[in-house]
Amino acid sequence: MIPSRLLQKLADDPRIPESSRLAFLRTLDMDRVWRSRRSEKRVHEEQVKASTRILVHDCEGQEILPGVAVDPMMSADATVQRAFRFTKKIAQFYLECLNRNSIDDAGKDLVSSVHFSQVYSNAYWSPSLMQMVYGDGDGFILLDFTLSPEFIAHEVAHGLTHFTADLDYVDQAGALNESVSDVLGTM
């Protein structure tokens, strides 16, 4: 969601508190890992399902995915509730407006992991796990990435691109991948 150049610029800005700058540097290091994984070939089973389930996991500040499964209806955690509610609305939008049964058009479950790592200042689609991941931000410049339904829709759209165009996440194809996610996220 947040481009590497911007994270680096924030990390280099002496006007920003040191704790936030360190969070941005840590996020950059972690982003390098998952960005390299985007280029790996992905193996997955296609499953046809009657309806899409919206699943939310809590990483509890750890870097282990997908995290602990959470019942959004029983959870008092606002981040869990937002991830569930907004993802459900996106699935409804895909079905009603795009005539599409989830991101794979076969009812694939939409899985989100929240509270990823400590002060992780980004969000992303994991092609290897086929799910969305949301950090809580540094709390100063970048906040919880589930606060914006557009951010969630942007990451879900990366899943749609994965199952349709499967654009490589480099150069022009990567820019197009981001653009499609921006447009669908805004819609």
Side-chain angles (χ1 to χ4, degrees), residues 62-128:
Q62 303 296 310
E63 295 167 17
I64 300 169
L65 291 168
V68 178
V70 180
D71 181 348
M73 299 307 181
M74 302 302 290
S75 177
D77 185 331
T79 299
V80 168
Q81 292 173 358
R82 279 190 301 271
F84 175 80
R85 186 175 64 250
F86 294 150
T87 304
K88 184 175 181 180
K89 286 184 178 188
I90 294 160
Q92 289 171 335
F93 169 79
Y94 278 23
L95 187 61
E96 294 169 12
C97 297
L98 304 179
N99 195 30
R100 193 163 180 86
N101 186 7
S102 189
I103 57 178
D104 66 346
D105 205 21
K108 182 180 179 347
D109 294 341
L110 296 176
V111 181
S112 295
S113 291
V114 299
H115 303 303
F116 178 72
S117 189
Q118 298 288 318
V119 297
Y120 184 69
S121 300
N122 220 337
Y124 67 94
W125 160 258
S126 171
S128 58

Side-chain angles (χ1 to χ4, degrees), residues 50-68:
S51 63
T52 301
R53 293 182 305 160
I54 311 302
L55 306 173
V56 180
H57 293 79
D58 187 347
C59 293
E60 301 174 334
Q62 303 296 310
E63 295 167 17
I64 300 169
L65 291 168
V68 178

Side-chain angles (χ1 to χ4, degrees), residues 33 35-42 127-128:
V33 172
R35 286 179 192 278
S36 70
R37 289 183 183 154
R38 274 193 167 162
S39 63
E40 297 171 1
K41 290 295 178 194
R42 297 163 299 271
S128 58

